[in-house]
Amino acid sequence: MTFFNSPSFPGRSLFARRVKDSHPKEQKDPGWKLFGKVPPREGHIKDPKKIQKEYETKSGRAGPDNPTSPRQSARKNLDFEPLSTTALILEDRPANLPAKPAEEAQKHRQQYEEMVAQAKKRELKEAQKRRKQLEDRCKLEESIGSAAQTWNQDILPNWSAMRTSRRVRDLWWQGIPPSVRGKVWSLAVGNDLNITHELYNICLARAKEKWKSIAAPASDSEPDDAGSSDRESSLELIKLDISRTFPQLCIFQQGGPYHDVLHSILGAYTCYRPDVGYVQGMSFIAAVLILNLDTADTFIAFTNLLNKPCQMAFFRVDHSLMLTYFAAFEVFFEENLPKLFAHFQKNNLSPDIYLIDWIFTLYSKSLPLDLACRVWDVFCRDGEEFLFRTALGLLRLYQDVLTCMDFIHMAQFLTRLPDLIPADQLFQHIAAIHMSSRNRKWSQQHSGTKTTHITLRYKQRVMSYCRRFYFGLRHIVILHSISPWETRIF
Amino acid sequence: MQNNHHKERLYKILVIGDLGVGKTSIIKRYVHHNFSPNYRATIGVDFALKVLNWDQETVRLQLWDIAGQERFGNMTRVYYREAMGAFIVFDVTRPASFEAVTKWKEDLDSKLTLANGKNVATVLLANKCDQGRDVLTNNGIKMEQFCLENGFVGWYETSAKENINIDEAANCLVKHIIANENDMLQSEVLDTISPQLEKDKGGTCSSCFRSQ
């Protein structure tokens, strides 16, 4: 017996003549058929309807008695079978050796048939899988295409009227087609700051001046006129961080096509908001926007996005505000995933350990980019609350894995999520997370006394955070809220 | 502190220093034995676990790779808690990152002390030594002096890229951590046996206790 991997059709048909069939009932058929066609019986048992149909039309065209021309069958093979197949050839002993005893020959034949049948089964399965993938991809492309059309023709022209409609919200949840993503993000983020392209150019020009003065050796010793040392070094930090932004994409690095764009956006921002300056995490946000928008529009979206309350709290590193976010998150964590929450508490794994990265980069660093964009889609729809809902969705998705881990393994897992995260599953888990006062169901459930209850617990949690962070309660945080997401600090 | 009787010790170690000095690279080299010029910036904190065999004991090092931007300083100081040792890293090609070393050390010491009141063992790493030498690190005596003045237990010129001195530096740190731990254990034991020693609390050095 020999295994032979036949790479091309002539070779295959040549060897096929010597191949004996695996099916005892059709023993005299040429072995080629073994690999070229699949016997209908097995097809009936294993295959989905579509593949079955294809067999029928195929065998109809080819004719059951006609061994078929190699070319014809080759083309058909392409439909659902691999080009290269592992052919197993049963051969008699070479002539110079004594022949096998009949019993042994029979046994070998039997083994041979079993092996061939198995190999065929496996190949079929793989072919089906590939076929399914192809079908899925086609379906996906089709749906993206039609969704893009809907967005372009129906939704975008009537944005303000349609953005809150049920239909649009549903479509939005499924992910915005990449071709309209930038437009939708821009519209959803808005431009409350009234940033214009001119303003961007002014800020950029200022940033460029600064770079020049930094490059000049004399200014090194000169203290900068306005403000903190952090701000002074902003431009230096940007330089260091740009090359560390999506390094695997190789487009933001020195010499890459978007290096200068990213540099410009971040530089212009530090001139637009010198009080905030550059903070790590910004480079990832700007990079994701650059991938979906023109430069000036990126700047508009970037500044407005960072101006949202949650982003401002984080990028200004406003501790007390950040603590209220973490504490609110924990309330929902406990509500939604009590077992995992208890496990985290037992292991002293506090949300700041994993949330900081997720919130600062809006998941663009921790999730695969396409998935991160889908999170951004719904973040643009639902606001900051969705960032925390996504976090809970992730925890829910990996709940079983996490409950088996100790502190360090959980921390490692959460700060470095798996490379492959099934998007649909993640979104199912996010959908299963209940939160937000905007969601009626939630507010109904948690109205009245329960709200007070939650608020109280929430307050306690913020206090305990403050104690941890400040080593003494210097800040008194008073929360007044119907929803923990609407908090205020006096 | 009952670890001593177990065959396993667990230590939390901080890796701090300015942004982009190579903290993540050093950890990757130490734990995963590889190097890439393309690490992503660390936001918040990252983690790694290194398991060592140390005198027939298992030593587990929990490495906390803390984001370097100064702005995060107040936010990340909560991460210092319960650490037993630290690496402070600077980039020999960027003098500013060396100037920040004393700031990092002061920050660390002000927020973290061992149960016996001593500062945690800290090793200074002069990273990227493959990219040319800093004038300062060229002067070994000066660096020794700097370490002595600032309370570092040692310093190493390291290169995550070329795998220079990383293991050595880590071993040095672990050695000092274990010594600190043994000191504390000993003083605890002494405290329980002869409480009158409390009067002589002035001596923080373990050898003083031993000689008494």
Side-chain angles (χ1 to χ4, degrees), chain A residues 216-256:
Chain A
S219 67
D220 219 0
S221 51
E222 263 175 43
D224 213 33
D225 47 303
S228 69
S229 61
D230 214 25
R231 201 215 105 174
E232 269 175 67
S233 52
S234 269
L235 294 172
E236 183 68 21
L237 300 186
I238 290 170
K239 226 168 59 188
L240 282 165
D241 259 5
I242 282 183
S243 62
R244 307 196 294 164
T245 308
F246 298 120
Q248 74 281 12
L249 295 181
C250 299
I251 51 177
F252 297 105
Q253 282 60 52
Q254 191 84 47

mmCIF file of all heavy atoms in Angstrom, chain A residues 216-256:
data_model
loop_
_atom_site.group_PDB
_atom_site.id
_atom_site.type_symbol
_atom_site.label_atom_id
_atom_site.label_comp_id
_atom_site.label_asym_id
_atom_site.label_seq_id
_atom_site.Cartn_x
_atom_site.Cartn_y
_atom_site.Cartn_z
ATOM 1 N N ALA A 216 15.143 72.446 17.224
ATOM 2 C CA ALA A 216 16.270 73.351 17.438
ATOM 3 C C ALA A 216 16.833 73.145 18.847
ATOM 4 O O ALA A 216 16.077 73.128 19.805
ATOM 5 C CB ALA A 216 15.810 74.801 17.256
ATOM 6 N N PRO A 217 18.161 73.003 18.972
ATOM 7 C CA PRO A 217 18.751 72.626 20.251
ATOM 8 C C PRO A 217 18.553 73.658 21.357
ATOM 9 O O PRO A 217 18.465 73.302 22.519
ATOM 10 C CB PRO A 217 20.247 72.455 19.928
ATOM 11 C CG PRO A 217 20.447 73.172 18.630
ATOM 12 C CD PRO A 217 19.153 73.122 17.907
ATOM 13 N N ALA A 218 18.450 74.924 20.998
ATOM 14 C CA ALA A 218 18.402 75.989 22.003
ATOM 15 C C ALA A 218 17.172 75.889 22.905
ATOM 16 O O ALA A 218 17.235 76.135 24.099
ATOM 17 C CB ALA A 218 18.424 77.353 21.320
ATOM 18 N N SER A 219 16.040 75.478 22.308
ATOM 19 C CA SER A 219 14.789 75.525 23.052
ATOM 20 C C SER A 219 14.696 74.433 24.123
ATOM 21 O O SER A 219 13.787 74.418 24.927
ATOM 22 C CB SER A 219 13.609 75.374 22.092
ATOM 23 O OG SER A 219 13.629 74.072 21.549
ATOM 24 N N ASP A 220 15.642 73.531 24.100
ATOM 25 C CA ASP A 220 15.595 72.421 25.044
ATOM 26 C C ASP A 220 15.586 72.904 26.491
ATOM 27 O O ASP A 220 14.901 72.368 27.350
ATOM 28 C CB ASP A 220 16.797 71.504 24.804
ATOM 29 C CG ASP A 220 16.393 70.049 24.964
ATOM 30 O OD1 ASP A 220 15.207 69.781 25.255
ATOM 31 O OD2 ASP A 220 17.265 69.197 24.827
ATOM 32 N N SER A 221 16.409 73.933 26.731
ATOM 33 C CA SER A 221 16.533 74.431 28.093
ATOM 34 C C SER A 221 15.461 75.462 28.433
ATOM 35 O O SER A 221 15.221 75.754 29.591
ATOM 36 C CB SER A 221 17.925 75.043 28.289
ATOM 37 O OG SER A 221 18.158 75.964 27.238
ATOM 38 N N GLU A 222 14.847 76.006 27.405
ATOM 39 C CA GLU A 222 13.817 77.025 27.620
ATOM 40 C C GLU A 222 12.571 76.402 28.215
ATOM 41 O O GLU A 222 12.013 75.470 27.656
ATOM 42 C CB GLU A 222 13.410 77.638 26.271
ATOM 43 C CG GLU A 222 14.106 78.931 25.945
ATOM 44 C CD GLU A 222 13.732 79.405 24.555
ATOM 45 O OE1 GLU A 222 12.534 79.325 24.214
ATOM 46 O OE2 GLU A 222 14.642 79.827 23.819
ATOM 47 N N PRO A 223 12.122 76.925 29.307
ATOM 48 C CA PRO A 223 10.861 76.396 29.827
ATOM 49 C C PRO A 223 9.701 76.885 28.962
ATOM 50 O O PRO A 223 9.697 78.009 28.491
ATOM 51 C CB PRO A 223 10.789 76.980 31.235
ATOM 52 C CG PRO A 223 11.714 78.155 31.230
ATOM 53 C CD PRO A 223 12.685 77.987 30.117
ATOM 54 N N ASP A 224 8.744 76.028 28.767
ATOM 55 C CA ASP A 224 7.613 76.375 27.908
ATOM 56 C C ASP A 224 6.730 77.396 28.627
ATOM 57 O O ASP A 224 6.617 77.398 29.846
ATOM 58 C CB ASP A 224 6.827 75.119 27.581
ATOM 59 C CG ASP A 224 6.225 75.206 26.199
ATOM 60 O OD1 ASP A 224 6.860 75.832 25.325
ATOM 61 O OD2 ASP A 224 5.132 74.676 26.007
ATOM 62 N N ASP A 225 6.110 78.247 27.817
ATOM 63 C CA ASP A 225 5.384 79.351 28.435
ATOM 64 C C ASP A 225 4.176 78.926 29.273
ATOM 65 O O ASP A 225 3.993 79.389 30.384
ATOM 66 C CB ASP A 225 4.960 80.363 27.347
ATOM 67 C CG ASP A 225 4.340 79.677 26.158
ATOM 68 O OD1 ASP A 225 5.017 78.803 25.562
ATOM 69 O OD2 ASP A 225 3.212 79.991 25.816
ATOM 70 N N ALA A 226 3.392 78.031 28.723
ATOM 71 C CA ALA A 226 2.123 77.764 29.415
ATOM 72 C C ALA A 226 2.057 76.358 29.989
ATOM 73 O O ALA A 226 1.959 75.392 29.257
ATOM 74 C CB ALA A 226 0.957 77.977 28.447
ATOM 75 N N GLY A 227 2.112 76.277 31.290
ATOM 76 C CA GLY A 227 1.609 75.098 31.959
ATOM 77 C C GLY A 227 2.551 73.960 32.279
ATOM 78 O O GLY A 227 3.739 74.130 32.472
ATOM 79 N N SER A 228 1.950 72.782 32.350
ATOM 80 C CA SER A 228 2.564 71.631 32.994
ATOM 81 C C SER A 228 3.722 71.034 32.191
ATOM 82 O O SER A 228 3.832 71.223 30.995
ATOM 83 C CB SER A 228 1.516 70.545 33.196
ATOM 84 O OG SER A 228 1.160 70.032 31.931
ATOM 85 N N SER A 229 4.534 70.316 32.902
ATOM 86 C CA SER A 229 5.649 69.646 32.251
ATOM 87 C C SER A 229 5.132 68.559 31.332
ATOM 88 O O SER A 229 5.731 68.230 30.323
ATOM 89 C CB SER A 229 6.551 69.020 33.321
ATOM 90 O OG SER A 229 5.832 68.067 34.069
ATOM 91 N N ASP A 230 3.984 67.986 31.716
ATOM 92 C CA ASP A 230 3.382 66.940 30.910
ATOM 93 C C ASP A 230 3.088 67.470 29.513
ATOM 94 O O ASP A 230 3.294 66.798 28.517
ATOM 95 C CB ASP A 230 2.082 66.502 31.579
ATOM 96 C CG ASP A 230 1.841 65.021 31.366
ATOM 97 O OD1 ASP A 230 2.825 64.311 31.155
ATOM 98 O OD2 ASP A 230 0.680 64.609 31.432
ATOM 99 N N ARG A 231 2.568 68.658 29.515
ATOM 100 C CA ARG A 231 2.169 69.262 28.258
ATOM 101 C C ARG A 231 3.386 69.530 27.383
ATOM 102 O O ARG A 231 3.383 69.309 26.189
ATOM 103 C CB ARG A 231 1.447 70.580 28.550
ATOM 104 C CG ARG A 231 0.579 71.029 27.418
ATOM 105 C CD ARG A 231 0.606 72.518 27.333
ATOM 106 N NE ARG A 231 1.408 72.947 26.232
ATOM 107 C CZ ARG A 231 1.513 74.198 25.856
ATOM 108 N NH1 ARG A 231 0.890 75.131 26.532
ATOM 109 N NH2 ARG A 231 2.266 74.537 24.835
ATOM 110 N N GLU A 232 4.434 70.021 28.001
ATOM 111 C CA GLU A 232 5.662 70.288 27.263
ATOM 112 C C GLU A 232 6.126 69.069 26.499
ATOM 113 O O GLU A 232 6.553 69.140 25.367
ATOM 114 C CB GLU A 232 6.783 70.658 28.237
ATOM 115 C CG GLU A 232 6.909 72.110 28.520
ATOM 116 C CD GLU A 232 7.971 72.318 29.575
ATOM 117 O OE1 GLU A 232 9.136 72.041 29.254
ATOM 118 O OE2 GLU A 232 7.622 72.737 30.686
ATOM 119 N N SER A 233 6.044 67.953 27.205
ATOM 120 C CA SER A 233 6.599 66.750 26.593
ATOM 121 C C SER A 233 5.601 66.055 25.676
ATOM 122 O O SER A 233 5.911 65.050 25.076
ATOM 123 C CB SER A 233 7.059 65.785 27.680
ATOM 124 O OG SER A 233 6.026 65.575 28.602
ATOM 125 N N SER A 234 4.396 66.622 25.580
ATOM 126 C CA SER A 234 3.375 65.998 24.750
ATOM 127 C C SER A 234 3.882 65.619 23.362
ATOM 128 O O SER A 234 3.684 64.509 22.903
ATOM 129 C CB SER A 234 2.172 66.924 24.596
ATOM 130 O OG SER A 234 1.238 66.668 25.617
ATOM 131 N N LEU A 235 4.545 66.567 22.730
ATOM 132 C CA LEU A 235 4.975 66.324 21.360
ATOM 133 C C LEU A 235 6.015 65.212 21.295
ATOM 134 O O LEU A 235 6.027 64.412 20.366
ATOM 135 C CB LEU A 235 5.526 67.615 20.742
ATOM 136 C CG LEU A 235 4.474 68.718 20.546
ATOM 137 C CD1 LEU A 235 5.135 70.012 20.110
ATOM 138 C CD2 LEU A 235 3.429 68.297 19.539
ATOM 139 N N GLU A 236 6.848 65.181 22.315
ATOM 140 C CA GLU A 236 7.851 64.117 22.396
ATOM 141 C C GLU A 236 7.172 62.752 22.579
ATOM 142 O O GLU A 236 7.534 61.767 21.935
ATOM 143 C CB GLU A 236 8.781 64.420 23.583
ATOM 144 C CG GLU A 236 9.933 63.457 23.762
ATOM 145 C CD GLU A 236 10.955 63.556 22.644
ATOM 146 O OE1 GLU A 236 11.008 64.599 21.944
ATOM 147 O OE2 GLU A 236 11.693 62.580 22.473
ATOM 148 N N LEU A 237 6.168 62.728 23.445
ATOM 149 C CA LEU A 237 5.451 61.486 23.705
ATOM 150 C C LEU A 237 4.746 60.973 22.456
ATOM 151 O O LEU A 237 4.711 59.781 22.190
ATOM 152 C CB LEU A 237 4.413 61.682 24.818
ATOM 153 C CG LEU A 237 4.915 62.117 26.183
ATOM 154 C CD1 LEU A 237 3.789 62.128 27.194
ATOM 155 C CD2 LEU A 237 6.023 61.187 26.663
ATOM 156 N N ILE A 238 4.192 61.900 21.711
ATOM 157 C CA ILE A 238 3.494 61.518 20.479
ATOM 158 C C ILE A 238 4.441 60.760 19.567
ATOM 159 O O ILE A 238 4.116 59.700 19.040
ATOM 160 C CB ILE A 238 2.938 62.769 19.756
ATOM 161 C CG1 ILE A 238 1.781 63.361 20.572
ATOM 162 C CG2 ILE A 238 2.459 62.419 18.358
ATOM 163 C CD1 ILE A 238 1.327 64.720 20.084
ATOM 164 N N LYS A 239 5.644 61.319 19.439
ATOM 165 C CA LYS A 239 6.627 60.691 18.566
ATOM 166 C C LYS A 239 6.899 59.252 19.010
ATOM 167 O O LYS A 239 6.978 58.340 18.196
ATOM 168 C CB LYS A 239 7.930 61.509 18.592
ATOM 169 C CG LYS A 239 8.492 61.743 17.218
ATOM 170 C CD LYS A 239 9.598 62.790 17.202
ATOM 171 C CE LYS A 239 10.782 62.461 18.087
ATOM 172 N NZ LYS A 239 11.742 63.578 18.181
ATOM 173 N N LEU A 240 7.016 59.081 20.336
ATOM 174 C CA LEU A 240 7.309 57.748 20.852
ATOM 175 C C LEU A 240 6.143 56.778 20.644
ATOM 176 O O LEU A 240 6.341 55.598 20.423
ATOM 177 C CB LEU A 240 7.618 57.827 22.352
ATOM 178 C CG LEU A 240 9.003 58.314 22.728
ATOM 179 C CD1 LEU A 240 9.044 58.689 24.198
ATOM 180 C CD2 LEU A 240 10.033 57.227 22.431
ATOM 181 N N ASP A 241 4.948 57.307 20.752
ATOM 182 C CA ASP A 241 3.777 56.424 20.729
ATOM 183 C C ASP A 241 3.294 56.070 19.331
ATOM 184 O O ASP A 241 2.701 55.014 19.134
ATOM 185 C CB ASP A 241 2.626 57.074 21.513
ATOM 186 C CG ASP A 241 2.517 56.474 22.909
ATOM 187 O OD1 ASP A 241 3.389 55.653 23.255
ATOM 188 O OD2 ASP A 241 1.571 56.803 23.632
ATOM 189 N N ILE A 242 3.531 56.947 18.373
ATOM 190 C CA ILE A 242 2.995 56.699 17.030
ATOM 191 C C ILE A 242 3.456 55.358 16.480
ATOM 192 O O ILE A 242 2.669 54.569 15.974
ATOM 193 C CB ILE A 242 3.391 57.841 16.072
ATOM 194 C CG1 ILE A 242 2.477 59.035 16.340
ATOM 195 C CG2 ILE A 242 3.255 57.420 14.624
ATOM 196 C CD1 ILE A 242 2.714 60.194 15.437
ATOM 197 N N SER A 243 4.740 55.082 16.666
ATOM 198 C CA SER A 243 5.253 53.824 16.112
ATOM 199 C C SER A 243 4.716 52.630 16.889
ATOM 200 O O SER A 243 4.821 51.501 16.454
ATOM 201 C CB SER A 243 6.774 53.827 16.127
ATOM 202 O OG SER A 243 7.207 53.919 17.462
ATOM 203 N N ARG A 244 4.135 52.897 18.055
ATOM 204 C CA ARG A 244 3.600 51.788 18.847
ATOM 205 C C ARG A 244 2.081 51.712 18.737
ATOM 206 O O ARG A 244 1.409 51.151 19.577
ATOM 207 C CB ARG A 244 4.024 51.969 20.311
ATOM 208 C CG ARG A 244 5.527 52.159 20.452
ATOM 209 C CD ARG A 244 5.978 51.950 21.849
ATOM 210 N NE ARG A 244 5.470 52.939 22.778
ATOM 211 C CZ ARG A 244 5.481 52.775 24.094
ATOM 212 N NH1 ARG A 244 5.950 51.661 24.606
ATOM 213 N NH2 ARG A 244 5.024 53.714 24.887
ATOM 214 N N THR A 245 1.559 52.313 17.682
ATOM 215 C CA THR A 245 0.119 52.277 17.443
ATOM 216 C C THR A 245 -0.157 51.302 16.313
ATOM 217 O O THR A 245 0.320 51.496 15.202
ATOM 218 C CB THR A 245 -0.382 53.681 17.055
ATOM 219 O OG1 THR A 245 0.076 54.609 18.036
ATOM 220 C CG2 THR A 245 -1.898 53.727 16.991
ATOM 221 N N PHE A 246 -0.901 50.271 16.604
ATOM 222 C CA PHE A 246 -1.167 49.203 15.632
ATOM 223 C C PHE A 246 0.083 48.811 14.848
ATOM 224 O O PHE A 246 0.075 48.850 13.611
ATOM 225 C CB PHE A 246 -2.271 49.628 14.653
ATOM 226 C CG PHE A 246 -3.583 49.890 15.314
ATOM 227 C CD1 PHE A 246 -4.185 51.135 15.240
ATOM 228 C CD2 PHE A 246 -4.226 48.885 16.018
ATOM 229 C CE1 PHE A 246 -5.401 51.385 15.863
ATOM 230 C CE2 PHE A 246 -5.445 49.124 16.638
ATOM 231 C CZ PHE A 246 -6.032 50.376 16.565
ATOM 232 N N PRO A 247 1.162 48.463 15.552
ATOM 233 C CA PRO A 247 2.402 48.162 14.823
ATOM 234 C C PRO A 247 2.222 47.043 13.797
ATOM 235 O O PRO A 247 2.890 47.019 12.771
ATOM 236 C CB PRO A 247 3.377 47.753 15.932
ATOM 237 C CG PRO A 247 2.537 47.446 17.121
ATOM 238 C CD PRO A 247 1.302 48.281 16.990
ATOM 239 N N GLN A 248 1.288 46.137 14.071
ATOM 240 C CA GLN A 248 1.127 45.001 13.160
ATOM 241 C C GLN A 248 0.587 45.435 11.799
ATOM 242 O O GLN A 248 0.762 44.747 10.798
ATOM 243 C CB GLN A 248 0.249 43.912 13.800
ATOM 244 C CG GLN A 248 -1.246 44.203 13.878
ATOM 245 C CD GLN A 248 -1.627 45.144 15.034
ATOM 246 O OE1 GLN A 248 -0.782 45.762 15.655
ATOM 247 N NE2 GLN A 248 -2.911 45.252 15.324
ATOM 248 N N LEU A 249 -0.063 46.596 11.742
ATOM 249 C CA LEU A 249 -0.606 47.062 10.465
ATOM 250 C C LEU A 249 0.463 47.707 9.591
ATOM 251 O O LEU A 249 0.287 47.842 8.379
ATOM 252 C CB LEU A 249 -1.731 48.073 10.694
ATOM 253 C CG LEU A 249 -3.001 47.583 11.384
ATOM 254 C CD1 LEU A 249 -4.005 48.722 11.508
ATOM 255 C CD2 LEU A 249 -3.630 46.434 10.617
ATOM 256 N N CYS A 250 1.556 48.144 10.231
ATOM 257 C CA CYS A 250 2.685 48.739 9.493
ATOM 258 C C CYS A 250 2.280 49.953 8.664
ATOM 259 O O CYS A 250 2.861 50.200 7.605
ATOM 260 C CB CYS A 250 3.341 47.718 8.568
ATOM 261 S SG CYS A 250 3.995 46.322 9.439
ATOM 262 N N ILE A 251 1.280 50.707 9.082
ATOM 263 C CA ILE A 251 0.922 51.882 8.296
ATOM 264 C C ILE A 251 1.107 53.179 9.072
ATOM 265 O O ILE A 251 1.139 54.249 8.494
ATOM 266 C CB ILE A 251 -0.523 51.811 7.759
ATOM 267 C CG1 ILE A 251 -1.494 51.486 8.886
ATOM 268 C CG2 ILE A 251 -0.628 50.788 6.644
ATOM 269 C CD1 ILE A 251 -2.938 51.479 8.436
ATOM 270 N N PHE A 252 1.247 53.062 10.378
ATOM 271 C CA PHE A 252 1.432 54.276 11.178
ATOM 272 C C PHE A 252 2.897 54.471 11.572
ATOM 273 O O PHE A 252 3.239 55.469 12.181
ATOM 274 C CB PHE A 252 0.556 54.224 12.438
ATOM 275 C CG PHE A 252 -0.910 54.186 12.120
ATOM 276 C CD1 PHE A 252 -1.636 53.019 12.254
ATOM 277 C CD2 PHE A 252 -1.551 55.313 11.635
ATOM 278 C CE1 PHE A 252 -2.988 52.981 11.945
ATOM 279 C CE2 PHE A 252 -2.903 55.290 11.317
ATOM 280 C CZ PHE A 252 -3.621 54.116 11.475
ATOM 281 N N GLN A 253 3.721 53.509 11.233
ATOM 282 C CA GLN A 253 5.121 53.601 11.622
ATOM 283 C C GLN A 253 5.863 54.576 10.706
ATOM 284 O O GLN A 253 5.354 54.951 9.650
ATOM 285 C CB GLN A 253 5.781 52.216 11.544
ATOM 286 C CG GLN A 253 5.446 51.309 12.705
ATOM 287 C CD GLN A 253 3.963 51.034 12.828
ATOM 288 O OE1 GLN A 253 3.335 50.640 11.862
ATOM 289 N NE2 GLN A 253 3.397 51.278 13.997
ATOM 290 N N GLN A 254 7.047 54.931 11.144
ATOM 291 C CA GLN A 254 7.904 55.826 10.357
ATOM 292 C C GLN A 254 7.991 55.294 8.924
ATOM 293 O O GLN A 254 8.334 54.136 8.711
ATOM 294 C CB GLN A 254 9.292 55.858 10.978
ATOM 295 C CG GLN A 254 10.198 56.932 10.418
ATOM 296 C CD GLN A 254 9.961 58.278 11.111
ATOM 297 O OE1 GLN A 254 9.893 58.348 12.311
ATOM 298 N NE2 GLN A 254 9.840 59.332 10.327
ATOM 299 N N GLY A 255 7.652 56.150 7.970
ATOM 300 C CA GLY A 255 7.701 55.733 6.571
ATOM 301 C C GLY A 255 6.407 55.123 6.087
ATOM 302 O O GLY A 255 6.213 54.944 4.892
ATOM 303 N N GLY A 256 5.516 54.799 6.990
ATOM 304 C CA GLY A 256 4.218 54.241 6.599
ATOM 305 C C GLY A 256 3.295 55.326 6.076
ATOM 306 O O GLY A 256 3.508 56.512 6.349
#
